[in-house]
Amino acid sequence: MDSNLRREIIVDNYQNPTNKKTIDDKEFITASTISDSCIDNITLFVKFKDNVIEDIYFDGEACAITTSATSIMIKKLIGKTIDEAEELMNNYYNMIDEKEYSEEELGELNAYNEIYKQPNRKKCAIFPFETLKKAIEKYKMHN
Amino acid sequence: MNREDFPMLKNDLIYFDNGATTLKPQCVINEITNYYENYSANAHRGDYDISRKVDELYEKTRDDVKEFINANKREEIIFTKGTTESMNMIIFGFMKNYLQKDDEVLITKTEHASNVLPWYTLEKEIGIKVKFIPLEDYEVTIDNVKKSINNKTKVISLAWVTNTIGDLRPIKEITKVAHDNNILMVVDGAQSVPHFKTDVLDTDIDFLAFSAHKMLGPTGVGVLYGKKDYLEQMLPLNYGGGMNSFFESDKSLEYKPLPYRLEAGTMNISGILGFRKALSYLNKIGMDKITNYEHELKDYLVKRLREIDNIEVYNENTKSGIVLFNIKNIFSEDTSQFLNHYHVCVRAGNHCAKMVKDELIIKNTCRISLYFYNTKEEIDKFINIMKGNKDIFKVII
Ligand SMILES: Cc1ncc(COP(=O)(O)O)c(C=O)c1O
């Protein structure tokens, strides 16, 4: 990906993130992650129905990479089944870990395809996905 | 000053994270190597020359620490692996027996985890109550200390200087108030002992904990100071070799006197010997000179940061080498990544005092913590880099 385009995607999603607000509604499952280094801190609010992710919001304070990745993840995953979401996540983790992956499926998430060059930022790029996994687990436990 | 003595400074690096750990001068590094190359024996064991030499240097270090903090007796100096271990020994080795259910301990929300979590644990274990002295502009005032005391208060436990805001507490005055009310005074000196002259006699504090690695010394070495009467009552957290005089199969035993009773097992000998060199290095420069120079550097840094429009500084007036700042509307970690790109090391986050975010309106900040080898030239370079912060995303993404 061209570095200007990459920057544009990340900065745009950082400054105008998708669905950033706290949801106080029992239909939403919440999951939070606070980073080990005591910095980034986000909470996801996820609404599932019949194994489909109907809606996601998030709130918290985090760096440009984490915030933008959360925003893009939300756009990509709303409307997907849990299976589809897990497949997309696998694909994304493969990219982050420099393994084989399918570029097409990832869309804007391709903006993080060179994050391996900054090892201390990898954790930022997977932060929202780690949090989403917790929400999915909670949903599966209760259904 | 003295930059030529620090091998790390030969790298292309601006090191502004001295609150986390400091760099080591060549003499400390050499002493550690010297131990391993020339008299690598255990302490308090052998009857041969090199072991006696180790004993001698080990105990000399204790004497030097005693002088450094102006303690009364050498038995009052116990080596540990750092502030954290010293605090745990104070709280679980002494306070656990000294305190009773419903006794109150006063701390603040800007303490380091090592002065919070052991207390929380003791609260669960024996039912003491941990309370917070309210802060004013993030600082502890004598008035608020007095207001927080009641007849259940038995301990006040505070950092002399906090690692978060870098505020300096009036420890001598607080100790006076504490003692007037039969309260013990525990002090976390991790961020103070490296930066100004410590006098445990003059302040009359009851316990002090600090780490060698934050004052030019090796990692894995720390000090527990306690008044002798209290250390006599302290139970070891570790039992084993080096701390007993004898033990028999009929279970009879005798422990060694202080300080050895509290130093079980083989200690970090190379580190402790290296620490001695760190102390003499600091003494040679002079602690007062270090303090004054650090204040001068901080004032200069704050003044220069004010030149940049979009920078906020949160603790201009605290008396230490710690400066907290943010670029407006930029997350602190992004700023530290930006600076990292230019090999400037600063810390981002809430600096392990997770409760401060209740007190500080701003949750996350970048922290610069200075030491005497930092210079105005480094600050100038840093300021020039910061002036280019409009392009931060071009640099970090
Ligand atoms: C105020 C304060 N207390 C305690 C500690 C813990 O020191 P150590 O990690 O050396 O045990 C630190 C270190 O960051 C500190 O800044």
Side-chain angles (χ1 to χ4, degrees), chain B residues 19-21 81-87 110-115 159-164 188-191 209-214 221 347 351-352 367:
Chain B
T21 195
K81 71 186 169 74
T83 307
T84 303
E85 186 173 48
S86 304
M87 291 302 297
T110 47
E111 300 309 311
H112 187 273
S114 58
N115 188 25
W160 202 321
V161 172
T162 60
N163 58 310
T164 41
D188 165 0
Q191 299 292 347
F210 58 100
S211 301
H213 73 93
K214 293 183 197 285
V221 177
R347 187 83 182 273
H351 317 299
C352 295
R367 180 186 74 182

PDB file of all heavy atoms in Angstrom, chain B residues 19-21 81-87 110-115 159-164 188-191 209-214 221 347 351-352 367, ligand 1:
ATOM      1  N   GLY B  19      13.695   8.203  35.532  1.00  0.00           N
ATOM      2  CA  GLY B  19      12.803   7.745  36.592  1.00  0.00           C
ATOM      3  C   GLY B  19      12.627   6.238  36.540  1.00  0.00           C
ATOM      4  O   GLY B  19      12.396   5.588  37.553  1.00  0.00           O
ATOM      5  N   ALA B  20      12.745   5.675  35.342  1.00  0.00           N
ATOM      6  CA  ALA B  20      12.604   4.229  35.184  1.00  0.00           C
ATOM      7  C   ALA B  20      13.880   3.530  35.640  1.00  0.00           C
ATOM      8  O   ALA B  20      13.851   2.621  36.462  1.00  0.00           O
ATOM      9  CB  ALA B  20      12.291   3.880  33.735  1.00  0.00           C
ATOM     10  N   THR B  21      14.989   3.951  35.086  1.00  0.00           N
ATOM     11  CA  THR B  21      16.289   3.488  35.562  1.00  0.00           C
ATOM     12  C   THR B  21      17.337   4.457  35.024  1.00  0.00           C
ATOM     13  O   THR B  21      17.102   5.128  34.020  1.00  0.00           O
ATOM     14  CB  THR B  21      16.591   2.036  35.138  1.00  0.00           C
ATOM     15  OG1 THR B  21      17.682   1.524  35.909  1.00  0.00           O
ATOM     16  CG2 THR B  21      16.929   1.926  33.657  1.00  0.00           C
ATOM     17  N   LYS B  81      16.453  -6.678  46.872  1.00  0.00           N
ATOM     18  CA  LYS B  81      16.641  -6.577  45.424  1.00  0.00           C
ATOM     19  C   LYS B  81      16.055  -5.309  44.833  1.00  0.00           C
ATOM     20  O   LYS B  81      16.157  -5.067  43.644  1.00  0.00           O
ATOM     21  CB  LYS B  81      16.153  -7.823  44.700  1.00  0.00           C
ATOM     22  CG  LYS B  81      14.687  -8.071  44.629  1.00  0.00           C
ATOM     23  CD  LYS B  81      14.485  -9.453  43.986  1.00  0.00           C
ATOM     24  CE  LYS B  81      13.080  -9.953  44.089  1.00  0.00           C
ATOM     25  NZ  LYS B  81      12.146  -9.269  43.187  1.00  0.00           N
ATOM     26  N   GLY B  82      15.470  -4.474  45.652  1.00  0.00           N
ATOM     27  CA  GLY B  82      14.970  -3.203  45.136  1.00  0.00           C
ATOM     28  C   GLY B  82      13.911  -2.629  46.059  1.00  0.00           C
ATOM     29  O   GLY B  82      13.577  -3.220  47.086  1.00  0.00           O
ATOM     30  N   THR B  83      13.403  -1.470  45.680  1.00  0.00           N
ATOM     31  CA  THR B  83      12.373  -0.805  46.476  1.00  0.00           C
ATOM     32  C   THR B  83      11.190  -1.728  46.726  1.00  0.00           C
ATOM     33  O   THR B  83      10.667  -1.806  47.841  1.00  0.00           O
ATOM     34  CB  THR B  83      11.873   0.453  45.723  1.00  0.00           C
ATOM     35  OG1 THR B  83      12.988   1.255  45.383  1.00  0.00           O
ATOM     36  CG2 THR B  83      10.905   1.253  46.565  1.00  0.00           C
ATOM     37  N   THR B  84      10.779  -2.431  45.680  1.00  0.00           N
ATOM     38  CA  THR B  84       9.600  -3.292  45.795  1.00  0.00           C
ATOM     39  C   THR B  84       9.798  -4.331  46.894  1.00  0.00           C
ATOM     40  O   THR B  84       8.928  -4.531  47.742  1.00  0.00           O
ATOM     41  CB  THR B  84       9.336  -3.986  44.444  1.00  0.00           C
ATOM     42  OG1 THR B  84       9.189  -2.968  43.453  1.00  0.00           O
ATOM     43  CG2 THR B  84       8.090  -4.848  44.493  1.00  0.00           C
ATOM     44  N   GLU B  85      10.949  -4.980  46.880  1.00  0.00           N
ATOM     45  CA  GLU B  85      11.189  -5.988  47.907  1.00  0.00           C
ATOM     46  C   GLU B  85      11.287  -5.336  49.289  1.00  0.00           C
ATOM     47  O   GLU B  85      10.763  -5.859  50.276  1.00  0.00           O
ATOM     48  CB  GLU B  85      12.461  -6.794  47.626  1.00  0.00           C
ATOM     49  CG  GLU B  85      12.604  -7.924  48.624  1.00  0.00           C
ATOM     50  CD  GLU B  85      13.750  -8.880  48.325  1.00  0.00           C
ATOM     51  OE1 GLU B  85      14.875  -8.418  48.067  1.00  0.00           O
ATOM     52  OE2 GLU B  85      13.505 -10.084  48.357  1.00  0.00           O
ATOM     53  N   SER B  86      11.933  -4.188  49.375  1.00  0.00           N
ATOM     54  CA  SER B  86      12.041  -3.498  50.668  1.00  0.00           C
ATOM     55  C   SER B  86      10.654  -3.170  51.219  1.00  0.00           C
ATOM     56  O   SER B  86      10.378  -3.375  52.405  1.00  0.00           O
ATOM     57  CB  SER B  86      12.858  -2.209  50.522  1.00  0.00           C
ATOM     58  OG  SER B  86      14.135  -2.475  49.973  1.00  0.00           O
ATOM     59  N   MET B  87       9.775  -2.667  50.351  1.00  0.00           N
ATOM     60  CA  MET B  87       8.418  -2.319  50.795  1.00  0.00           C
ATOM     61  C   MET B  87       7.675  -3.567  51.278  1.00  0.00           C
ATOM     62  O   MET B  87       6.980  -3.539  52.290  1.00  0.00           O
ATOM     63  CB  MET B  87       7.623  -1.649  49.664  1.00  0.00           C
ATOM     64  CG  MET B  87       8.099  -0.257  49.263  1.00  0.00           C
ATOM     65  SD  MET B  87       8.114   0.975  50.583  1.00  0.00           S
ATOM     66  CE  MET B  87       6.375   1.091  50.998  1.00  0.00           C
ATOM     67  N   THR B 110      -1.307   8.822  44.455  1.00  0.00           N
ATOM     68  CA  THR B 110      -0.185   8.942  43.519  1.00  0.00           C
ATOM     69  C   THR B 110       0.994   8.050  43.919  1.00  0.00           C
ATOM     70  O   THR B 110       2.096   8.219  43.419  1.00  0.00           O
ATOM     71  CB  THR B 110       0.302  10.403  43.386  1.00  0.00           C
ATOM     72  OG1 THR B 110       0.443  10.957  44.689  1.00  0.00           O
ATOM     73  CG2 THR B 110      -0.663  11.240  42.593  1.00  0.00           C
ATOM     74  N   GLU B 111       0.747   7.081  44.795  1.00  0.00           N
ATOM     75  CA  GLU B 111       1.843   6.174  45.164  1.00  0.00           C
ATOM     76  C   GLU B 111       2.114   5.171  44.045  1.00  0.00           C
ATOM     77  O   GLU B 111       1.229   4.825  43.260  1.00  0.00           O
ATOM     78  CB  GLU B 111       1.496   5.418  46.447  1.00  0.00           C
ATOM     79  CG  GLU B 111       1.250   6.298  47.663  1.00  0.00           C
ATOM     80  CD  GLU B 111       2.357   7.303  47.902  1.00  0.00           C
ATOM     81  OE1 GLU B 111       3.532   6.912  47.908  1.00  0.00           O
ATOM     82  OE2 GLU B 111       2.047   8.499  48.067  1.00  0.00           O
ATOM     83  N   HIS B 112       3.330   4.680  44.019  1.00  0.00           N
ATOM     84  CA  HIS B 112       3.712   3.588  43.123  1.00  0.00           C
ATOM     85  C   HIS B 112       3.054   2.290  43.605  1.00  0.00           C
ATOM     86  O   HIS B 112       2.803   2.129  44.805  1.00  0.00           O
ATOM     87  CB  HIS B 112       5.233   3.452  43.160  1.00  0.00           C
ATOM     88  CG  HIS B 112       5.793   2.484  42.167  1.00  0.00           C
ATOM     89  ND1 HIS B 112       5.924   1.149  42.437  1.00  0.00           N
ATOM     90  CD2 HIS B 112       6.243   2.668  40.903  1.00  0.00           C
ATOM     91  CE1 HIS B 112       6.446   0.545  41.377  1.00  0.00           C
ATOM     92  NE2 HIS B 112       6.650   1.444  40.436  1.00  0.00           N
ATOM     93  N   ALA B 113       2.813   1.370  42.687  1.00  0.00           N
ATOM     94  CA  ALA B 113       2.151   0.100  43.018  1.00  0.00           C
ATOM     95  C   ALA B 113       2.791  -0.596  44.218  1.00  0.00           C
ATOM     96  O   ALA B 113       2.101  -1.237  45.013  1.00  0.00           O
ATOM     97  CB  ALA B 113       2.187  -0.827  41.813  1.00  0.00           C
ATOM     98  N   SER B 114       4.110  -0.443  44.371  1.00  0.00           N
ATOM     99  CA  SER B 114       4.791  -1.157  45.459  1.00  0.00           C
ATOM    100  C   SER B 114       4.471  -0.561  46.829  1.00  0.00           C
ATOM    101  O   SER B 114       4.783  -1.159  47.855  1.00  0.00           O
ATOM    102  CB  SER B 114       6.307  -1.168  45.220  1.00  0.00           C
ATOM    103  OG  SER B 114       6.783   0.151  45.132  1.00  0.00           O
ATOM    104  N   ASN B 115       3.855   0.605  46.857  1.00  0.00           N
ATOM    105  CA  ASN B 115       3.383   1.178  48.116  1.00  0.00           C
ATOM    106  C   ASN B 115       1.858   1.146  48.193  1.00  0.00           C
ATOM    107  O   ASN B 115       1.250   1.869  48.975  1.00  0.00           O
ATOM    108  CB  ASN B 115       3.902   2.620  48.272  1.00  0.00           C
ATOM    109  CG  ASN B 115       3.600   3.215  49.647  1.00  0.00           C
ATOM    110  OD1 ASN B 115       3.432   2.491  50.624  1.00  0.00           O
ATOM    111  ND2 ASN B 115       3.504   4.542  49.708  1.00  0.00           N
ATOM    112  N   ALA B 159       5.644   8.122  49.198  1.00  0.00           N
ATOM    113  CA  ALA B 159       6.856   8.374  48.418  1.00  0.00           C
ATOM    114  C   ALA B 159       7.369   9.760  48.788  1.00  0.00           C
ATOM    115  O   ALA B 159       6.580  10.692  48.940  1.00  0.00           O
ATOM    116  CB  ALA B 159       6.547   8.311  46.929  1.00  0.00           C
ATOM    117  N   TRP B 160       8.672   9.878  48.899  1.00  0.00           N
ATOM    118  CA  TRP B 160       9.259  11.205  49.199  1.00  0.00           C
ATOM    119  C   TRP B 160       9.039  12.105  47.974  1.00  0.00           C
ATOM    120  O   TRP B 160       8.590  13.239  48.070  1.00  0.00           O
ATOM    121  CB  TRP B 160      10.742  11.040  49.505  1.00  0.00           C
ATOM    122  CG  TRP B 160      11.353  12.144  50.309  1.00  0.00           C
ATOM    123  CD1 TRP B 160      11.106  13.475  50.200  1.00  0.00           C
ATOM    124  CD2 TRP B 160      12.310  11.992  51.376  1.00  0.00           C
ATOM    125  NE1 TRP B 160      11.854  14.166  51.116  1.00  0.00           N
ATOM    126  CE2 TRP B 160      12.608  13.298  51.849  1.00  0.00           C
ATOM    127  CE3 TRP B 160      12.970  10.918  51.946  1.00  0.00           C
ATOM    128  CZ2 TRP B 160      13.521  13.519  52.874  1.00  0.00           C
ATOM    129  CZ3 TRP B 160      13.879  11.142  52.968  1.00  0.00           C
ATOM    130  CH2 TRP B 160      14.148  12.438  53.424  1.00  0.00           C
ATOM    131  N   VAL B 161       9.358  11.537  46.799  1.00  0.00           N
ATOM    132  CA  VAL B 161       9.033  12.190  45.519  1.00  0.00           C
ATOM    133  C   VAL B 161       8.246  11.164  44.710  1.00  0.00           C
ATOM    134  O   VAL B 161       8.628   9.997  44.660  1.00  0.00           O
ATOM    135  CB  VAL B 161      10.313  12.575  44.754  1.00  0.00           C
ATOM    136  CG1 VAL B 161       9.986  13.061  43.344  1.00  0.00           C
ATOM    137  CG2 VAL B 161      11.117  13.627  45.505  1.00  0.00           C
ATOM    138  N   THR B 162       7.125  11.588  44.087  1.00  0.00           N
ATOM    139  CA  THR B 162       6.352  10.610  43.311  1.00  0.00           C
ATOM    140  C   THR B 162       6.949  10.430  41.924  1.00  0.00           C
ATOM    141  O   THR B 162       7.542  11.348  41.364  1.00  0.00           O
ATOM    142  CB  THR B 162       4.883  11.034  43.141  1.00  0.00           C
ATOM    143  OG1 THR B 162       4.841  12.285  42.449  1.00  0.00           O
ATOM    144  CG2 THR B 162       4.188  11.160  44.482  1.00  0.00           C
ATOM    145  N   ASN B 163       6.751   9.236  41.377  1.00  0.00           N
ATOM    146  CA  ASN B 163       7.250   8.969  40.033  1.00  0.00           C
ATOM    147  C   ASN B 163       6.286   9.503  38.987  1.00  0.00           C
ATOM    148  O   ASN B 163       6.577   9.490  37.804  1.00  0.00           O
ATOM    149  CB  ASN B 163       7.449   7.463  39.817  1.00  0.00           C
ATOM    150  CG  ASN B 163       6.179   6.680  40.041  1.00  0.00           C
ATOM    151  OD1 ASN B 163       5.516   6.839  41.058  1.00  0.00           O
ATOM    152  ND2 ASN B 163       5.825   5.852  39.091  1.00  0.00           N
ATOM    153  N   THR B 164       5.107   9.942  39.417  1.00  0.00           N
ATOM    154  CA  THR B 164       4.096  10.376  38.470  1.00  0.00           C
ATOM    155  C   THR B 164       4.182  11.867  38.224  1.00  0.00           C
ATOM    156  O   THR B 164       4.440  12.318  37.122  1.00  0.00           O
ATOM    157  CB  THR B 164       2.719  10.041  39.040  1.00  0.00           C
ATOM    158  OG1 THR B 164       2.740  10.356  40.433  1.00  0.00           O
ATOM    159  CG2 THR B 164       2.416   8.592  38.866  1.00  0.00           C
ATOM    160  N   ASP B 188       8.964   5.743  50.742  1.00  0.00           N
ATOM    161  CA  ASP B 188       9.453   5.153  49.499  1.00  0.00           C
ATOM    162  C   ASP B 188      10.402   6.174  48.879  1.00  0.00           C
ATOM    163  O   ASP B 188       9.972   7.213  48.394  1.00  0.00           O
ATOM    164  CB  ASP B 188       8.253   4.852  48.600  1.00  0.00           C
ATOM    165  CG  ASP B 188       8.632   4.571  47.152  1.00  0.00           C
ATOM    166  OD1 ASP B 188       9.837   4.601  46.822  1.00  0.00           O
ATOM    167  OD2 ASP B 188       7.721   4.329  46.343  1.00  0.00           O
ATOM    168  N   GLY B 189      11.685   5.873  48.922  1.00  0.00           N
ATOM    169  CA  GLY B 189      12.693   6.834  48.464  1.00  0.00           C
ATOM    170  C   GLY B 189      13.195   6.564  47.052  1.00  0.00           C
ATOM    171  O   GLY B 189      14.218   7.138  46.644  1.00  0.00           O
ATOM    172  N   ALA B 190      12.480   5.751  46.289  1.00  0.00           N
ATOM    173  CA  ALA B 190      12.975   5.356  44.964  1.00  0.00           C
ATOM    174  C   ALA B 190      13.306   6.559  44.076  1.00  0.00           C
ATOM    175  O   ALA B 190      14.308   6.555  43.358  1.00  0.00           O
ATOM    176  CB  ALA B 190      11.953   4.453  44.266  1.00  0.00           C
ATOM    177  N   GLN B 191      12.456   7.606  44.136  1.00  0.00           N
ATOM    178  CA  GLN B 191      12.685   8.767  43.270  1.00  0.00           C
ATOM    179  C   GLN B 191      13.315   9.933  44.022  1.00  0.00           C
ATOM    180  O   GLN B 191      13.469  11.023  43.446  1.00  0.00           O
ATOM    181  CB  GLN B 191      11.358   9.250  42.647  1.00  0.00           C
ATOM    182  CG  GLN B 191      10.648   8.229  41.777  1.00  0.00           C
ATOM    183  CD  GLN B 191      11.406   7.914  40.492  1.00  0.00           C
ATOM    184  OE1 GLN B 191      12.347   8.622  40.101  1.00  0.00           O
ATOM    185  NE2 GLN B 191      11.009   6.851  39.829  1.00  0.00           N
ATOM    186  N   ALA B 209      12.803   2.861  51.801  1.00  0.00           N
ATOM    187  CA  ALA B 209      13.092   1.860  50.769  1.00  0.00           C
ATOM    188  C   ALA B 209      13.616   2.571  49.530  1.00  0.00           C
ATOM    189  O   ALA B 209      13.095   3.620  49.158  1.00  0.00           O
ATOM    190  CB  ALA B 209      11.808   1.107  50.410  1.00  0.00           C
ATOM    191  N   PHE B 210      14.692   2.037  48.914  1.00  0.00           N
ATOM    192  CA  PHE B 210      15.122   2.603  47.629  1.00  0.00           C
ATOM    193  C   PHE B 210      15.891   1.586  46.797  1.00  0.00           C
ATOM    194  O   PHE B 210      16.256   0.517  47.281  1.00  0.00           O
ATOM    195  CB  PHE B 210      15.896   3.913  47.801  1.00  0.00           C
ATOM    196  CG  PHE B 210      17.140   3.845  48.646  1.00  0.00           C
ATOM    197  CD1 PHE B 210      18.400   3.759  48.048  1.00  0.00           C
ATOM    198  CD2 PHE B 210      17.067   3.903  50.034  1.00  0.00           C
ATOM    199  CE1 PHE B 210      19.558   3.724  48.820  1.00  0.00           C
ATOM    200  CE2 PHE B 210      18.223   3.865  50.812  1.00  0.00           C
ATOM    201  CZ  PHE B 210      19.471   3.776  50.203  1.00  0.00           C
ATOM    202  N   SER B 211      16.103   1.933  45.508  1.00  0.00           N
ATOM    203  CA  SER B 211      16.709   1.014  44.533  1.00  0.00           C
ATOM    204  C   SER B 211      18.029   1.547  44.019  1.00  0.00           C
ATOM    205  O   SER B 211      18.128   2.728  43.663  1.00  0.00           O
ATOM    206  CB  SER B 211      15.790   0.838  43.319  1.00  0.00           C
ATOM    207  OG  SER B 211      14.541   0.340  43.688  1.00  0.00           O
ATOM    208  N   ALA B 212      19.028   0.673  43.910  1.00  0.00           N
ATOM    209  CA  ALA B 212      20.330   1.091  43.388  1.00  0.00           C
ATOM    210  C   ALA B 212      20.260   1.484  41.908  1.00  0.00           C
ATOM    211  O   ALA B 212      20.942   2.406  41.467  1.00  0.00           O
ATOM    212  CB  ALA B 212      21.343  -0.041  43.567  1.00  0.00           C
ATOM    213  N   HIS B 213      19.402   0.789  41.146  1.00  0.00           N
ATOM    214  CA  HIS B 213      19.438   1.003  39.693  1.00  0.00           C
ATOM    215  C   HIS B 213      18.932   2.370  39.269  1.00  0.00           C
ATOM    216  O   HIS B 213      19.154   2.793  38.143  1.00  0.00           O
ATOM    217  CB  HIS B 213      18.667  -0.107  38.965  1.00  0.00           C
ATOM    218  CG  HIS B 213      17.174  -0.022  39.110  1.00  0.00           C
ATOM    219  ND1 HIS B 213      16.401   0.634  38.200  1.00  0.00           N
ATOM    220  CD2 HIS B 213      16.336  -0.499  40.061  1.00  0.00           C
ATOM    221  CE1 HIS B 213      15.126   0.540  38.581  1.00  0.00           C
ATOM    222  NE2 HIS B 213      15.063  -0.135  39.705  1.00  0.00           N
ATOM    223  N   LYS B 214      18.240   3.075  40.169  1.00  0.00           N
ATOM    224  CA  LYS B 214      17.790   4.423  39.830  1.00  0.00           C
ATOM    225  C   LYS B 214      18.805   5.476  40.256  1.00  0.00           C
ATOM    226  O   LYS B 214      18.546   6.670  40.187  1.00  0.00           O
ATOM    227  CB  LYS B 214      16.438   4.703  40.496  1.00  0.00           C
ATOM    228  CG  LYS B 214      15.294   3.836  39.946  1.00  0.00           C
ATOM    229  CD  LYS B 214      13.973   4.225  40.587  1.00  0.00           C
ATOM    230  CE  LYS B 214      12.888   3.180  40.430  1.00  0.00           C
ATOM    231  NZ  LYS B 214      12.307   3.136  39.084  1.00  0.00           N
ATOM    232  N   VAL B 221      19.450  -4.645  43.059  1.00  0.00           N
ATOM    233  CA  VAL B 221      19.984  -4.273  44.376  1.00  0.00           C
ATOM    234  C   VAL B 221      19.134  -3.138  44.934  1.00  0.00           C
ATOM    235  O   VAL B 221      18.817  -2.182  44.236  1.00  0.00           O
ATOM    236  CB  VAL B 221      21.449  -3.787  44.301  1.00  0.00           C
ATOM    237  CG1 VAL B 221      21.941  -3.329  45.684  1.00  0.00           C
ATOM    238  CG2 VAL B 221      22.357  -4.872  43.757  1.00  0.00           C
ATOM    239  N   ARG B 347       8.945   8.288  28.490  1.00  0.00           N
ATOM    240  CA  ARG B 347       7.952   7.306  28.889  1.00  0.00           C
ATOM    241  C   ARG B 347       6.558   7.843  28.600  1.00  0.00           C
ATOM    242  O   ARG B 347       6.289   9.010  28.871  1.00  0.00           O
ATOM    243  CB  ARG B 347       8.128   7.097  30.396  1.00  0.00           C
ATOM    244  CG  ARG B 347       7.324   6.020  31.011  1.00  0.00           C
ATOM    245  CD  ARG B 347       7.992   4.680  30.841  1.00  0.00           C
ATOM    246  NE  ARG B 347       7.136   3.654  31.429  1.00  0.00           N
ATOM    247  CZ  ARG B 347       7.167   3.305  32.697  1.00  0.00           C
ATOM    248  NH1 ARG B 347       8.027   3.871  33.505  1.00  0.00           N
ATOM    249  NH2 ARG B 347       6.348   2.386  33.165  1.00  0.00           N
ATOM    250  N   HIS B 351       2.349   5.874  34.123  1.00  0.00           N
ATOM    251  CA  HIS B 351       3.527   5.669  34.956  1.00  0.00           C
ATOM    252  C   HIS B 351       3.275   4.783  36.154  1.00  0.00           C
ATOM    253  O   HIS B 351       3.756   5.032  37.256  1.00  0.00           O
ATOM    254  CB  HIS B 351       4.153   7.002  35.327  1.00  0.00           C
ATOM    255  CG  HIS B 351       4.191   7.910  34.143  1.00  0.00           C
ATOM    256  ND1 HIS B 351       4.894   7.568  33.004  1.00  0.00           N
ATOM    257  CD2 HIS B 351       3.530   9.032  33.860  1.00  0.00           C
ATOM    258  CE1 HIS B 351       4.677   8.489  32.097  1.00  0.00           C
ATOM    259  NE2 HIS B 351       3.851   9.381  32.596  1.00  0.00           N
ATOM    260  N   CYS B 352       2.503   3.750  35.911  1.00  0.00           N
ATOM    261  CA  CYS B 352       2.308   2.688  36.886  1.00  0.00           C
ATOM    262  C   CYS B 352       1.649   3.143  38.173  1.00  0.00           C
ATOM    263  O   CYS B 352       1.573   2.395  39.124  1.00  0.00           O
ATOM    264  CB  CYS B 352       3.615   1.956  37.188  1.00  0.00           C
ATOM    265  SG  CYS B 352       4.213   1.099  35.743  1.00  0.00           S
ATOM    266  N   ARG B 367       6.351  11.442  29.949  1.00  0.00           N
ATOM    267  CA  ARG B 367       7.140  11.848  31.112  1.00  0.00           C
ATOM    268  C   ARG B 367       8.610  11.939  30.731  1.00  0.00           C
ATOM    269  O   ARG B 367       9.180  10.994  30.204  1.00  0.00           O
ATOM    270  CB  ARG B 367       6.982  10.841  32.238  1.00  0.00           C
ATOM    271  CG  ARG B 367       7.797  11.223  33.490  1.00  0.00           C
ATOM    272  CD  ARG B 367       7.764  10.142  34.553  1.00  0.00           C
ATOM    273  NE  ARG B 367       8.606   9.014  34.181  1.00  0.00           N
ATOM    274  CZ  ARG B 367       8.728   7.904  34.913  1.00  0.00           C
ATOM    275  NH1 ARG B 367       8.040   7.775  36.037  1.00  0.00           N
ATOM    276  NH2 ARG B 367       9.513   6.926  34.520  1.00  0.00           N
TER     277      ARG B 367
HETATM  278  C1  LIG C   1       8.259   5.908  43.488  1.00  0.00           C
HETATM  279  C2  LIG C   1       8.678   4.513  43.143  1.00  0.00           C
HETATM  280  N1  LIG C   1       8.542   3.539  44.052  1.00  0.00           N
HETATM  281  C3  LIG C   1       8.918   2.281  43.797  1.00  0.00           C
HETATM  282  C4  LIG C   1       9.458   1.907  42.585  1.00  0.00           C
HETATM  283  C5  LIG C   1       9.835   0.471  42.359  1.00  0.00           C
HETATM  284  O1  LIG C   1      11.187   0.301  42.245  1.00  0.00           O
HETATM  285  P1  LIG C   1      11.820  -1.099  41.832  1.00  0.00           P
HETATM  286  O2  LIG C   1      11.156  -1.497  40.551  1.00  0.00           O
HETATM  287  O3  LIG C   1      13.264  -0.821  41.666  1.00  0.00           O
HETATM  288  O4  LIG C   1      11.525  -2.075  42.925  1.00  0.00           O
HETATM  289  C6  LIG C   1       9.617   2.883  41.608  1.00  0.00           C
HETATM  290  C7  LIG C   1      10.174   2.513  40.280  1.00  0.00           C
HETATM  291  O5  LIG C   1       9.644   2.799  39.244  1.00  0.00           O
HETATM  292  C8  LIG C   1       9.217   4.212  41.886  1.00  0.00           C
HETATM  293  O6  LIG C   1       9.350   5.175  40.962  1.00  0.00           O
END
